[in-house]
Amino acid sequence: MNSFALPLIEIDNLRKNLFLEGVSQRYAEPIGQVLLKLGKLSRQDTEKILRLQKQQNILFGDAAKQSGLITDTDIRRALTFQLDSSVSSQETAQLSPELAVIRQPDSALTESIRAARTQLLLRGFPSSRKTVVVAGISQNCGASLFSANLAALFSQVGEKTLLVDANMRNPTVHHIFNLNNSSGLSDVLTHRTTLSEALFSIDALPNLTLLAAGAVQLDASELLSASAFNALNTDLTGQFDIIFYDTPAFLESTDALMVAKYSGCVLLVVHRNQSRLTDVSAVCQQITGNGIEIIGSVLVDY
């Protein structure tokens, strides 16, 4: 991967500490309160940190670390408690076990996807870029599973997040969230339903909305290249903070490239044991040759 100068995110290993407590969330306790509950700080410690925070106009976590009172690990554990404790067991029971970030919030897989989220935030996503295509090199490399979990994590930090299943040939996202696929993207593009009727909300994740793929389409590339999709993408970017498009793999069809033309950036999912180096090189050249940015690459082995 390094030979192609891609910013690599390996999700089979935890590479970065999560440090996002400054992002507001309407249902989360303040990070200082969580650290108090976990016994990481005393009341006196908290007052000292608050004074430093005010003096230097920095985040609470930054001030706490600067004071030498907590570590990155303490922050990560507190944020996990802060976010995951807000989702009830009854709500999570309705979600597929494949949604590891909710069903298994303390697992190694969840920690590594959190690390990938941190990498993306550090690289300025989202900012002026609000949409990203998440696609694999080849079929069945785990891109849909990764995009669903990543979208769920971004929604947990207060970002109004939309996950679109743009794989109208072989849709899978609705299975991960245990939803039906009675209407979705293909139905909106063919005017069989309205966008508002096709959007699904998730009780366990108030900031996450899904747009399923809808009826299977053999002419998916034609639908994605039509002006209706461009108009829909523009409409969606005005409604959401972040949009993830889950598409077929690049070697499977031209659909991913079609969607990426409108999103402007791609997050590549590369399977350690399935993706060939020559294929990765060819796909990267195809993407960049069309003026599309590769915001990162994810090496998976699940």
Side-chain angles (χ1 to χ4, degrees):
M1 296 296 291
N2 290 335
S3 59
F4 307 117
L6 291 181
L8 179 64
I9 306 169
E10 289 196 76
I11 75 161
D12 56 336
N13 292 303
L14 182 61
R15 291 297 185 93
K16 293 284 184 181
N17 288 318
L18 191 58
F19 196 59
L20 302 170
E21 81 286 354
V23 182
S24 63
Q25 184 174 4
R26 63 182 177 86
Y27 52 83
E29 279 188 284
I31 196 74
Q33 292 293 329
V34 175
L35 289 165
L36 277 171
K37 283 186 177 181
L38 295 176
K40 300 298 181 180
L41 295 175
S42 67
R43 291 288 180 186
Q44 289 180 334
D45 292 335
T46 303
E47 291 172 2
K48 178 181 178 181
I49 294 167
L50 288 171
R51 285 196 297 269
L52 181 61
Q53 179 186 19
K54 184 177 181 180
Q55 290 170 1
Q56 299 192 13
N57 192 28
I58 57 179
L59 296 175
F60 182 91
D62 288 331
K65 284 182 58 184
Q66 188 172 317
S67 301
L69 295 170
I70 61 170
T71 65
D72 284 336
T73 299
D74 295 330
I75 286 288
R76 188 173 67 250
R77 288 174 179 171
L79 188 58
T80 299
F81 179 91
Q82 181 189 46
L83 299 178
D84 297 334
S85 62
S86 65
V87 182
S88 70
S89 58
Q90 183 178 3
E91 290 173 334
T92 59
Q94 300 172 6
L95 302 173
S96 167
E98 291 181 302
L99 203 61
V101 298
I102 304 300
R103 296 296 298 273
Q104 303 172 54
D106 298 321
S107 68
L109 177 59
T110 296
E111 287 290 346
S112 57
I113 299 175
R114 285 194 184 102
R117 178 183 63 178
T118 302
Q119 290 275 11
L120 290 173
L121 288 164
L122 291 174
R123 292 168 191 175
F125 180 82
S127 55
S128 58
R129 298 170 297 187
K130 299 178 66 174
T131 62
V132 61
V133 165
V134 182
I137 300 295
S138 55
Q139 194 173 14
N140 299 323
C141 71
S144 295
L145 182 61
F146 180 78
S147 64
N149 279 276
L150 186 63
L153 279 181
F154 266 97
S155 75
Q156 283 188 319
V157 292
E159 300 286 358
K160 192 176 181 183
T161 306
L162 174 67
L163 174 61
V164 180
D165 191 345
N167 188 345
M168 294 181 284
R169 302 170 188 271
N170 184 28
T172 58
V173 168
H174 64 285
H175 292 303
I176 299 173
F177 289 89
N178 283 338
L179 298 173
N180 66 58
N181 193 35
S182 58
S183 65
L185 177 61
S186 65
D187 304 286
V188 174
L189 294 177
T190 54
H191 307 291
R192 290 194 293 264
T193 190
T194 63
L195 176 61
S196 60
E197 291 173 333
L199 294 174
F200 289 93
S201 59
I202 307 298
D203 291 340
L205 296 161
N207 287 317
L208 179 63
T209 302
L210 298 182
L211 178 58
V216 172
Q217 298 290 318
L218 298 179
D219 61 343
S221 293
E222 285 73 17
L223 285 178
L224 294 171
S225 61
S227 59
F229 179 74
N230 184 22
L232 175 64
N233 181 66
T234 301
D235 186 9
L236 293 173
T237 55
Q239 296 186 43
F240 295 91
D241 299 323
I242 303 175
I243 301 171
F244 292 99
Y245 283 105
D246 178 64
T247 70
F250 277 94
L251 294 180
E252 188 180 352
S253 71
T254 60
D255 296 2
L257 199 61
M258 292 287 187
V259 180
K261 180 178 69 172
Y262 296 108
S263 72
C265 62
V266 171
L267 179 61
L268 272 179
V269 179
V270 181
H271 198 284
R272 183 187 295 275
N273 300 316
Q274 294 181 13
S275 303
R276 297 186 304 176
L277 205 58
T278 53
D279 290 338
V280 176
S281 177
V283 167
C284 291
Q285 292 175 15
Q286 181 187 38
I287 295 170
T288 56
N290 281 277
I292 301 164
E293 179 187 3
I294 300 174
I295 195 174
S297 55
V298 182
L299 183 65
V300 303
D301 62 359
Y302 51 73

